[in-house]
């Protein structure tokens, strides 16, 4: 009886971790590929602000690094990630709420041309990253996450990187009197 309960618990644990890691894989991929357009907007709107540009470049590189860590997590386990889409996308929801369109339909040229839209984009990214930082804190306290040393390591790296993902946008908003 205990052996069958253990198998049920283990199957549930593995399914939870697969879902969680798949959602993160999607979001990290969505993040780093979408940041290419943010970089274009920062280059056009703030060409003299090299610190901001470098911070956004680092943000993009970190998101890609996180994506590759989750990809490797699945490779090492020899399982495929679950297929998830925009319904699981954190930035997708924030962009749709703030701009009324999907990330793919977001007009980069309009954001470059309109300071209010650029400000809104910076706010959306900042809020998304702060939310992500708090979520990682919660996950690292989870006994289910703690039961998988590879995920603990991934989330510890993400936790270390997260402040540098929202702080540059906050600094830009502050320095431009938008906070």
């Amino acid at each position: 009886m205990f052996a069958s309960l253990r198998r049920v618990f283990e199957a549930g644990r593995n399914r939870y971790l697969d879902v969680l890691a798949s959602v993160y894989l999607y979001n990290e991929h969505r993040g780093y590929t979408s940041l290419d357009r943010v970089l274009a907007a920062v280059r056009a709107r703030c060409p003299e602000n090299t610190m901001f540009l470098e911070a956004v470049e680092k943000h993009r590189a970190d998101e890609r690094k996180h994506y590759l860590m989750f990809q490797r997590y699945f490779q090492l386990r020899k399982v495929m990630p679950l297929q998830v889409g925009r319904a699981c996308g954190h930035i997708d929801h924030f962009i749709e709420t703030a701009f009324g369109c999907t990330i793919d339909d977001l007009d980069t040229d309009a954001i470059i041309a309109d300071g209010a839209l650029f400000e809104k984009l910076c706010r959306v990214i900042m809020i998304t990253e702060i939310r992500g930082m708090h979520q990682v804190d919660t996950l690292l306290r989870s006994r289910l996450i703690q039961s998988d040393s590879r995920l603990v390591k991934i989330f510890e790296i993400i936790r270390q990187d997260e402040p540098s993902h929202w702080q540059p946008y906050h600094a830009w908003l502050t320095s431009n009197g938008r906070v």
Side-chain angles (χ1 to χ4, degrees):
M1 178 171 150
F2 288 116
S4 64
L5 283 175
R6 184 177 310 237
R7 282 192 302 277
V8 168
F9 173 79
E10 195 64 26
R13 173 193 166 274
N14 289 341
R15 181 65 172 182
Y16 170 79
L17 296 178
D18 285 347
V19 169
L20 179 70
S22 296
V23 167
Y24 266 88
L25 181 74
Y26 172 85
N27 278 285
E28 299 296 345
H29 182 268
R30 193 69 159 157
Y32 92 79
T33 57
S34 297
L35 281 166
D36 288 333
R37 294 166 62 203
V38 175
L39 275 167
V42 171
R43 285 185 185 113
R45 288 205 56 85
C46 314
E48 74 294 341
N49 192 338
T50 56
M51 286 180 58
F52 187 33
L53 180 58
E54 289 170 3
V56 176
E57 288 171 342
K58 179 193 179 301
H59 181 190
R60 186 205 182 276
D62 284 350
E63 296 289 328
R64 184 170 189 279
K65 174 182 74 176
H66 301 165
Y67 166 74
L68 293 172
M69 289 188 304
F70 282 107
Q71 191 177 55
R72 183 78 176 136
Y73 172 77
F74 285 106
Q75 289 170 345
L76 290 172
R77 292 180 50 232
K78 296 182 169 105
V79 297
M80 293 294 291
L82 302 171
Q83 185 174 352
V84 299
R86 283 190 9 234
C88 296
H90 303 297
I91 189 67
D92 295 271
H93 291 293
F94 281 112
I95 291 290
E96 287 181 34
T97 299
F99 291 94
C101 66
T102 67
I103 291 173
D104 297 327
D105 293 332
L106 198 59
D107 186 346
T108 306
D109 292 332
I111 289 171
I112 291 169
D114 185 337
L117 290 177
F118 184 75
E119 174 186 338
K120 186 188 286 189
L121 181 63
C122 288
R123 285 185 190 286
V124 167
I125 295 168
M126 182 182 74
I127 290 166
T128 302
E129 293 299 330
I130 290 171
R131 183 219 51 84
M133 186 173 68
H134 292 302
Q135 181 160 337
V136 168
D137 287 339
T138 300
L139 288 170
L140 283 169
R141 289 190 300 270
S142 165
R143 289 176 59 195
L144 286 172
I145 300 301
Q146 290 295 322
S147 72
D148 188 311
S149 62
R150 288 177 285 205
L151 277 180
V152 169
K153 177 126 175 101
I154 290 170
F155 285 121
E156 285 174 343
I157 291 168
I158 292 172
R159 176 60 181 99
Q160 183 178 354
D161 291 342
E162 284 301 316
S164 70
H165 295 177
W166 65 266
Q167 290 170 343
Y169 304 96
H170 182 266
W172 183 87
L173 290 163
T174 301
S175 69
N176 287 280
R178 305 292 205 298
V179 173

